[in-house]
Amino acid sequence: MCRSWSIRPCSARTSLETHNASVGNAGALGRAQDSVAIGTSYEGYVPKTRVLRFEAAIAMVNGLGFDGALKSITLDAAKILGIDDRFGSIEKGKVADLVFYDGDPFEHATHGRIR
């Protein structure tokens, strides 16, 4: 049985719902064959693309792995939202915004260009 989870960012402010949170949660859920989506929370003064890459990178090094981290911000996120028939992967007939990176997309120093 595959379940779906949306993971609250590890950089989110502490609250009762994050009391037992762990940076390894996404990895544990991914190993259980669950769909995992990384969220960005909301801070009006922080660029969201940077936060999303950071959150995915933290999940990657804490057990989710590169492929799992990439799926958590693309196809798995679209599956959880129920829009994977139109978004989430590069396939004929799907909507896509492509980002080309000059290195590892989860490395902070990597630069991307949207096409």
Side-chain angles (χ1 to χ4, degrees):
M1 168 199 250
C2 182
R3 295 167 299 210
S4 299
W5 302 92
S6 179
I7 303 297
R8 186 175 169 113
C10 63
S11 62
R13 298 180 195 277
T14 304
S15 67
L16 284 177
E17 67 185 29
T18 62
H19 181 68
N20 291 313
S22 165
V23 293
N25 285 349
L29 294 169
R31 285 189 297 280
Q33 301 300 312
D34 290 347
S35 293
V36 176
I38 303 292
T40 59
S41 191
Y42 177 78
E43 299 290 344
Y45 56 88
V46 179
K48 297 300 168 235
T49 54
R50 184 180 70 203
V51 173
L52 183 63
R53 287 176 53 207
F54 171 78
E55 295 294 347
I58 294 298
M60 178 185 74
V61 299
N62 284 283
L64 193 56
F66 182 88
D67 291 341
L70 188 58
K71 276 183 64 179
S72 75
I73 59 174
T74 56
L75 187 56
D76 277 357
K79 283 180 182 176
I80 290 170
L81 293 171
I83 58 173
D84 56 306
D85 60 328
R86 295 172 292 146
F87 298 92
S89 60
I90 302 170
E91 296 177 48
K92 186 176 180 179
K94 286 192 172 184
V95 176
D97 289 320
L98 301 178
V99 179
F100 295 91
Y101 291 101
D102 61 4
D104 183 338
F106 300 122
E107 173 59 46
H108 182 69
T110 298
H111 299 93
R113 233 188 183 142
I114 297 174
R115 296 283 176 182

